[in-house]
Amino acid sequence: MGLGMHANKMIDSIRLEDVSCPLGCPKDDDVVLAGRDLLYGLPGEFTVVKCRACGLMRTTARPTLQTIGFYYPDDYSPYLGTQVRQAKPGLISGIKELLKPFVKRFFNFNTQRLPYCLPPGRLLEVGCASGAFLHQMAGQSWQVEGIEFSEKAAQAAKKLGYRVHAGPLETASRPDEPFDLIIGWMVLEHLHNPVGGLQKLREWAKPGAWLVLSVPNAASQSFLFFKNNWYDLHLPNHLYHFTPHTLELVLEASGWKLEKIYHQRILVNLIASTGYFLRDKGYAKLGQKLIDVPQQAVRWNYVLYPLAWLFSVFGQTGRMTVWARVK
Ligand SMILES: [Zn+2]
């Protein structure tokens, strides 16, 4: 009911804009699909098109930068999963802490994979949410800073003692010193201007600096199969839908060289997409159970690891982690 009121009050304030390919191609697109917000059921129908010249897919028309906040309610789930949790004292959690390094070595989900043996330096995380990753890296002697679109999440990260710009990347000002490592976990697809954003980050990077991103992979067969029920389509929040090829084009155009792509070894996207599909076909209860998996996925990630590993070999898990370097 709260969401309904939110929707009624705000829908009039959303402004849509039609945009052309950010790689500067002539405006000539194929319509790929039309879809809605399936995460919160907020109103509006959106179209995904594919540029005929370069193949980059984008959501258009789309909510403007000034009004897209409507689609990021305060309980937006990606923010909630990143709060820093204190380990509970006790024997079981003590054992868990001890086993952590071994478990980490055996199960490599590739979700936050970093270049090997980087000496600690200056790190920027774009889309740092409540600061859990900043906190983890600060614990490994990195000097960390963040940028976070959500005021509420940014406040939580600031409370941990880190320098965080509350607002979009577009309004963040130049840092005092350049960075050695720039991170964006599931953030590039949310940017209104990914080329401009990556160029800005390029200017803030030291020579030889690394850029590490994770994004959904729309080249996987599941995208073609599930279409508007594909979980990581996430309309209208996801403004771009990258493939390894189009991501490389966008990086190149922004002064970055793609070094490596790791297909993630988790099945969250496939499981939740199946949930949307079943809900769509009238199996609401079973569908919802599968949609909720991402919230409780940690255990399932371990159980399904062998299957996820197999899917990743063929680039079919629907998500990828990408390393790039200053050109
Ligand atoms: Zn294009």
Side-chain angles (χ1 to χ4, degrees):
M1 200 163 138
L3 207 57
M5 284 191 41
H6 171 73
N8 289 334
K9 210 169 64 189
M10 299 285 293
I11 188 72
D12 294 335
S13 64
I14 297 165
R15 296 282 166 269
L16 297 179
E17 58 184 2
D18 198 5
V19 287
S20 47
C21 179
L23 292 172
C25 307
K27 200 162 185 209
D28 185 16
D29 309 302
D30 289 317
V31 173
V32 177
L33 56 83
R36 315 179 69 87
D37 168 33
L38 297 180
L39 198 58
Y40 293 99
L42 294 172
E45 191 178 48
F46 302 92
T47 306
V48 172
V49 302
K50 184 179 189 173
C51 171
R52 278 194 183 165
C54 71
L56 178 60
M57 290 187 272
R58 64 189 195 279
T59 305
T60 190
R62 65 187 192 186
T64 60
L65 179 63
Q66 289 73 29
T67 65
I68 202 166
F70 171 74
Y71 290 98
Y72 291 86
D74 276 346
D75 63 342
Y76 184 68
S77 53
Y79 296 149
L80 301 177
T82 62
Q83 280 147 5
V84 172
R85 267 168 292 192
Q86 296 288 345
K88 279 175 251 152
L91 184 64
I92 301 286
S93 36
I95 293 170
K96 269 190 185 166
E97 283 300 308
L98 272 177
L99 288 176
K100 238 183 193 170
F102 301 101
V103 171
K104 251 191 161 169
R105 190 154 300 174
F106 186 76
F107 294 95
N108 196 342
F109 297 114
N110 284 346
T111 49
Q112 297 191 335
R113 189 165 185 153
L114 298 180
Y116 310 101
C117 309
L118 280 185
R122 282 179 47 76
L123 178 150
L124 171 70
E125 186 185 11
V126 184
C128 66
S130 311
F133 184 76
L134 291 183
H135 197 60
Q136 182 193 323
M137 295 301 279
Q140 295 168 31
S141 308
W142 285 79
Q143 255 184 288
V144 303
E145 286 183 30
I147 294 176
E148 175 49 50
F149 181 78
S150 154
E151 176 76 34
K152 206 174 159 190
Q155 286 307 329
K158 276 184 196 172
K159 259 193 204 144
L160 296 169
Y162 306 123
R163 197 166 153 180
V164 176
H165 167 77
L169 172 61
E170 285 84 343
T171 61
S173 52
R174 200 185 180 84
D176 302 335
E177 275 180 76
F179 296 99
D180 301 279
L181 174 61
I182 299 176
I183 300 278
W185 303 131
M186 304 303 272
V187 70
L188 190 69
E189 65 278 15
H190 292 258
L191 298 185
H192 278 73
N193 180 358
V195 174
L198 288 173
Q199 278 170 344
K200 193 169 189 178
L201 296 177
R202 165 70 187 78
E203 284 163 24
W204 297 352
K206 280 186 197 168
W210 288 90
L211 171 72
V212 179
L213 303 168
S214 62
V215 290
N217 178 7
S220 63
Q221 293 298 314
S222 60
F223 176 78
L224 297 173
F225 178 78
F226 289 110
K227 297 191 179 78
N228 56 358
N229 281 321
W230 198 57
Y231 183 69
D232 280 349
L233 189 63
H234 198 2
L235 296 175
N237 303 54
H238 287 184
L239 304 175
Y240 295 92
H241 313 276
F242 299 103
T243 64
H245 174 64
T246 57
L247 181 61
E248 182 168 18
L249 294 179
V250 168
L251 286 166
E252 284 283 331
S254 323
W256 295 94
K257 185 181 179 302
L258 177 70
E259 294 280 347
K260 195 103 185 125
I261 292 181
Y262 291 98
H263 296 285
Q264 296 190 4
R265 295 171 185 152
I266 53 167
L267 298 177
V268 165
N269 186 5
L270 290 170
I271 294 169
S273 299
T274 308
Y276 279 160
F277 176 79
L278 290 173
R279 198 171 68 176
D280 204 22
K281 294 277 176 252
Y283 301 95
K285 236 181 168 173
L286 178 61
Q288 195 58 47
K289 267 209 172 120
L290 295 178
I291 294 162
D292 290 339
V293 164
Q295 320 296 331
Q296 316 134 7
V298 182
R299 193 180 324 134
W300 283 104
N301 286 345
Y302 290 100
V303 176
L304 295 171
Y305 186 76
L307 191 61
W309 185 89
L310 187 66
F311 270 73
S312 79
V313 170
F314 299 100
Q316 296 301 323
T317 54
R319 287 186 187 179
M320 51 188 174
T321 299
V322 174
W323 297 353
R325 254 185 143 168
V326 167
K327 250 200 313 202

